[in-house]
Amino acid sequence: AQNRSMGQIDQMLATFKFQAGSGESAIVTRIVITDTLSGNVTNAAGSVTNLKLFKQDGTQVGYTIFSMEPNGSIATATFLPTNFTISAGAPILLTLKGDSGTVSGSIHRFGINSSSDVTATGASTSANASPSFDAPIIGNAQTVYRSELTVANAQSNSSGGQGTDQLIGKYRFT
């Protein structure tokens, strides 16, 4: 489980491993990511924003998704077109990043719910490449919390007089 403060930007939310079979490279054209919510779900669906997928080398795949589509206690983001190639037999990792949610107490788990959430074709044959995996693939729970900064006066008395280096205030931040 991971704790997140509300409003953190560019947080790593999940990592997915893709691998094409040894016979042919595959071109992935569509990926649907689902956020399964629990905890305080009121208004939490779609509260994670600015979602992006990145390859291992830092290259962004597809477009930035400003906001997920809410539907009850789930929200989805469809990355289309992604158009990245997975070389035959060579795995590739995709990292999902985004800005953490805005609802304190909401718990988010990002994943790919079914094989129909990934669309791919053969790189040389253009034949449909049917993904095979045990669905759903769901990441670790991430709980969003409101973080507060408290400032308190920590000065018991002031020193007076003229000159430099005078104590004029003392504060404690927690």
Side-chain angles (χ1 to χ4, degrees):
Q2 174 83 34
N3 292 332
R4 303 253 181 233
S5 292
M6 289 173 39
Q8 288 180 309
I9 60 171
D10 281 332
Q11 298 298 299
M12 185 175 76
L13 304 172
T15 301
F16 304 99
K17 179 180 176 182
F18 290 82
Q19 183 168 347
S22 59
E24 181 179 14
S25 297
I27 299 171
V28 178
T29 57
R30 177 181 157 272
I31 301 171
V32 178
I33 304 291
T34 299
D35 178 6
T36 304
L37 295 136
S38 58
N40 182 11
V41 298
T42 304
N43 299 319
S47 66
V48 176
T49 58
N50 296 319
L51 293 140
K52 302 172 193 134
L53 285 173
F54 291 94
K55 293 195 285 187
Q56 293 160 261
D57 65 3
T59 304
Q60 185 172 340
V61 173
Y63 301 105
T64 300
I65 306 292
F66 174 71
S67 181
M68 299 181 90
E69 292 293 323
N71 184 8
S73 63
I74 66 167
T76 57
T78 302
F79 289 89
L80 175 73
T82 54
N83 294 332
F84 72 94
T85 301
I86 304 169
S87 298
I92 184 171
L93 294 177
L94 286 184
T95 300
L96 175 68
K97 291 185 176 184
D99 300 348
S100 65
T102 56
V103 177
S104 185
S106 60
I107 301 169
H108 302 261
R109 294 182 62 163
F110 296 91
I112 300 173
N113 277 355
S114 74
S115 59
S116 64
D117 289 339
V118 178
T119 304
T121 58
S124 57
T125 64
S126 297
N128 285 337
S130 300
S132 67
F133 57 88
D134 293 330
I137 300 172
I138 304 292
N140 295 330
Q142 301 174 54
T143 305
V144 176
Y145 289 106
R146 173 177 287 125
S147 299
E148 293 183 8
L149 178 64
T150 303
V151 181
N153 183 2
Q155 183 173 339
S156 59
N157 59 11
S158 296
S159 58
Q162 297 179 347
T164 59
D165 295 326
Q166 297 297 311
L167 178 63
I168 59 170
K170 188 175 177 183
Y171 300 94
R172 179 178 312 274
F173 294 87
T174 55

